[in-house]
Amino acid sequence: TIMHQFREGLKGTELQHARFSTLQLRLLKIGGRVERTARRIRFHLPKAFPLKEIFASLAAAFLPLRT
């Protein structure tokens, strides 16, 4: 499932041993804006979001490979 893939992507971070409910609260239920164009999806996160780097690395792990 997606949550198990999240757990794999979080290895080596402060959330690597977090419960699924904690991951949901801290990484998925955040206030932000999604901008979708024909070629990309961009997430605009709050400036004060404390897990910005973890979110970015996790999002990068889910991106399809570019050829």
Side-chain angles (χ1 to χ4, degrees), residues 14-33:
E14 62 186 72
L15 295 175
Q16 67 181 357
H17 297 295
R19 293 178 160 192
F20 289 135
S21 59
T22 303
L23 296 177
Q24 181 182 18
L25 285 173
R26 297 194 65 198
L27 292 175
L28 299 178
K29 290 187 175 184
I30 55 174
R33 185 170 54 97

Side-chain angles (χ1 to χ4, degrees), residues 3-50:
M3 294 306 283
H4 289 289
Q5 290 178 340
F6 271 15
R7 174 119 8 199
E8 289 294 319
L10 292 170
K11 286 188 178 177
T13 68
E14 62 186 72
L15 295 175
Q16 67 181 357
H17 297 295
R19 293 178 160 192
F20 289 135
S21 59
T22 303
L23 296 177
Q24 181 182 18
L25 285 173
R26 297 194 65 198
L27 292 175
L28 299 178
K29 290 187 175 184
I30 55 174
R33 185 170 54 97
V34 178
E35 177 186 349
R36 190 179 81 186
T37 64
R39 295 183 179 218
R40 68 177 58 161
I41 298 173
R42 184 175 283 172
F43 294 98
H44 297 275
L45 300 174
K47 290 182 181 181
F49 183 53

